């Protein structure tokens, strides 16, 4: 087998994963992109409200998808394009979660997919202070021009995986993962009429039943130091496939969710939350509206500057925006740089 896979990227209408409004796909054969596809779509019924934070990120407005087929109606075409390929996505937990939740709230079954995450591969094979898609794509030699265009993001994801395979002398995904001592992840087939619903879908349906279909709004700004709260013990039973598993995470700046809640969410996924940056720290999550581009502009907290110093000294440590973190933990995505 050659280096064959399909890269995928979704954009969502709001903070619920099951609200896709756009998808981009890049099919790779023998390490070369041979075919691409993209669709705009209406999100599933009752989950199609557009949050202004999401619109600000990807620029897709409700009037652009009005009258278009909904995700559930389009999925047969999307699934046919993917076929039996391994899926690649930058933060695959999010994009595979979009498929699952989008189909669950549409009342439709979903096929099993083997998948790989280029965020995790970027961490393993590059040495970047941010593994967000623009930084990783630049390192791979496929710089993004229009980030958050689903087709361009999928193409960039494909380029990252092709580059990482080349750097490791791997002629296939199986060979790459064997060389790195990793196992390809798998999302099993499911049928919402029979199987338990995913956590994200349950939360969205509970919010809908409570008359609050919209994503929760940001907390009002409060002066002073945010409450740190205790540092929960990592969940040893969490999936090692998750990009936060095994990481030591520190939070800085004002977050949209309480910092103690952020710590609990990260610990549930196998991360070890701590309260200050040390030699153990591997991930710093930055609030205050930070995006990865701020690393170049210098709009940083003291903890973030400390991370840059440690990274320059060779410590394997990276910076995440709060939007990236919330994508990973399945929370409200108020800002979603991938």
């Amino acid at each position: 087998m050659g280096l064959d896979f399909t890269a995928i990227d979704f954009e969502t209408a709001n903070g619920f994963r099951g609200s896709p409004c756009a998808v981009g796909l890049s099919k790779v054969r023998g390490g070369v992109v041979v075919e691409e596809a993209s669709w705009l779509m209406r999100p599933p019924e009752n989950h199609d409200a557009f949050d202004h934070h999401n619109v600000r990120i990807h620029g897709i407005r409700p009037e652009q998808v009005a009258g278009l087929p909904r995700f559930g109606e389009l999925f047969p075409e999307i699934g046919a394009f993917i076929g039996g390929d391994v899926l690649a996505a930058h933060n695959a937990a999010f994009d595979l979660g979009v498929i699952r939740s989008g189909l669950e709230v549409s009342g439709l079954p979903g096929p099993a997919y083997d998948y790989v995450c280029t965020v995790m591969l970027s961490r393993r094979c590059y040495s970047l202070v941010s593994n967000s898609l623009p930084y990783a794509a630049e390192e791979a030699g496929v710089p993004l021009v229009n980030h958050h265009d689903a087709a361009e993001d999928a193409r960039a994801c494909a380029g990252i995986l092709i580059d990482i395979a080349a750097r490791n002398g791997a002629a296939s995904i199986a060979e790459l993962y064997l060389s790195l001592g990793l196992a390809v992840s798998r999302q099993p087939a499911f049928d919402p009429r029979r199987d338990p619903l995913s956590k994200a879908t349950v939360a969205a349906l509970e919010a809908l039943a409570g008359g609050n279909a919209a994503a929760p709004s940001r907390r009002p700004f409060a002066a002073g130091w945010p409450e740190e709260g205790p540092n929960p013990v990592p969940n040893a039973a969490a999936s090692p496939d998750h990009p936060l598993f095994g990481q030591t995470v520190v939070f800085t700046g004002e977050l949209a969710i309480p910092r103690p809640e952020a710590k609990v969410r990260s610990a549930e996924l196998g991360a070890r939350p701590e309260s200050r940056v040390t030699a153990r720290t591997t991930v710093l999550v930055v609030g205050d509206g930070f995006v990865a581009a701020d690393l170049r502009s210098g709009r940083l907290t003291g903890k973030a500057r400390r991370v840059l110093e440690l990274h320059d000294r060779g410590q394997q440590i990276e910076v995440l925006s709060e939007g990236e973190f919330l994508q990973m933990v399945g929370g409200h995505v108020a800002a979603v740089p991938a």
Side-chain angles (χ1 to χ4, degrees):
M1 291 180 61
L3 186 63
D4 301 343
F5 62 91
T6 292
I8 190 167
D9 179 82
F10 282 103
E11 301 297 331
T12 58
N14 54 64
F16 172 43
R17 288 180 175 181
S19 66
C21 59
V23 65
L25 301 116
S26 289
K27 187 175 289 293
V28 173
R29 291 291 179 266
V32 177
V33 175
V34 296
E35 188 178 0
E36 295 183 321
S38 63
W39 287 272
L40 290 177
M41 68 197 74
R42 280 191 297 164
E45 190 174 3
N46 298 321
H47 303 278
D48 49 4
F50 278 71
D51 186 287
H52 76 277
H53 294 294
N54 294 63
V55 173
R56 186 181 63 192
I57 294 296
H58 52 56
I60 302 168
R61 298 184 175 278
E63 57 267 25
Q64 291 175 257
V65 303
L68 293 181
R70 293 194 186 273
F71 172 69
E73 299 171 90
L74 268 179
F75 189 75
E77 291 183 67
I78 297 169
F81 186 94
I82 298 168
D85 280 3
V86 173
L87 281 175
H90 205 72
N91 187 14
F94 173 76
D95 294 280
L96 271 292
V98 171
I99 293 175
R100 174 136 195 173
S101 286
L103 290 176
E104 284 177 334
V105 295
S106 301
L108 297 172
Y113 286 114
D114 290 332
Y115 66 91
V116 299
C117 178
T118 50
V119 167
M120 296 184 71
L121 290 172
S122 175
R123 280 182 181 162
R124 192 75 174 251
C125 300
Y126 298 153
S127 181
L128 304 174
V129 71
S130 168
N131 289 292
S132 65
L133 188 59
Y135 276 75
E138 183 178 338
E139 178 70 15
V142 287
L144 270 170
V145 176
N146 188 19
H147 187 24
H148 294 297
D149 175 275
E152 289 200 32
D153 285 1
R155 190 181 308 129
C157 174
I160 293 166
L161 183 48
I162 291 167
D163 178 67
I164 287 174
R167 293 189 187 204
N168 285 273
S172 68
I173 288 178
E175 194 173 310
L176 172 63
Y177 269 62
L178 183 63
S179 71
L180 296 174
L182 301 173
V184 172
S185 302
R186 185 172 180 83
Q187 176 165 282
F190 60 90
D191 188 332
R193 297 164 296 188
R194 179 188 65 228
D195 300 320
L197 298 178
S198 64
K199 184 177 179 180
T201 297
V202 169
L205 293 176
E206 288 176 348
L208 194 64
N212 181 23
S217 59
R218 284 185 171 273
R219 293 189 304 148
F221 176 78
W225 294 104
E227 179 192 352
E228 279 288 341
N231 292 315
V233 175
N235 175 14
S239 170
D241 295 335
H242 195 277
L244 289 177
F245 184 85
Q247 304 296 318
T248 300
V249 182
V250 175
F251 298 88
T252 186
E254 185 72 18
L255 304 178
I257 61 175
R259 196 173 291 184
E261 180 184 342
K263 289 185 173 185
V264 168
R265 291 194 191 187
S266 60
E268 287 174 347
L269 293 165
R272 179 179 299 279
E274 293 190 343
S275 299
R276 63 189 182 91
V277 174
T278 69
R280 294 186 299 272
T281 307
T282 58
V283 172
L284 178 71
V285 178
V286 184
D288 297 325
F290 165 87
V291 294
D294 291 336
L295 290 168
R296 292 191 173 107
S297 71
R299 191 178 74 86
L300 302 171
T301 66
K303 284 182 179 177
R305 291 192 183 92
R306 173 67 173 153
V307 163
L308 292 179
E309 293 171 3
L310 292 172
H311 187 269
D312 288 343
R313 295 177 192 172
Q315 183 170 331
Q316 291 299 307
I317 188 169
E318 69 171 304
V319 176
L320 290 180
S321 69
E322 186 186 10
E324 292 171 292
F325 170 76
L326 287 171
Q327 272 198 341
M328 291 178 180
V329 302
H332 171 46
V333 185
V336 290

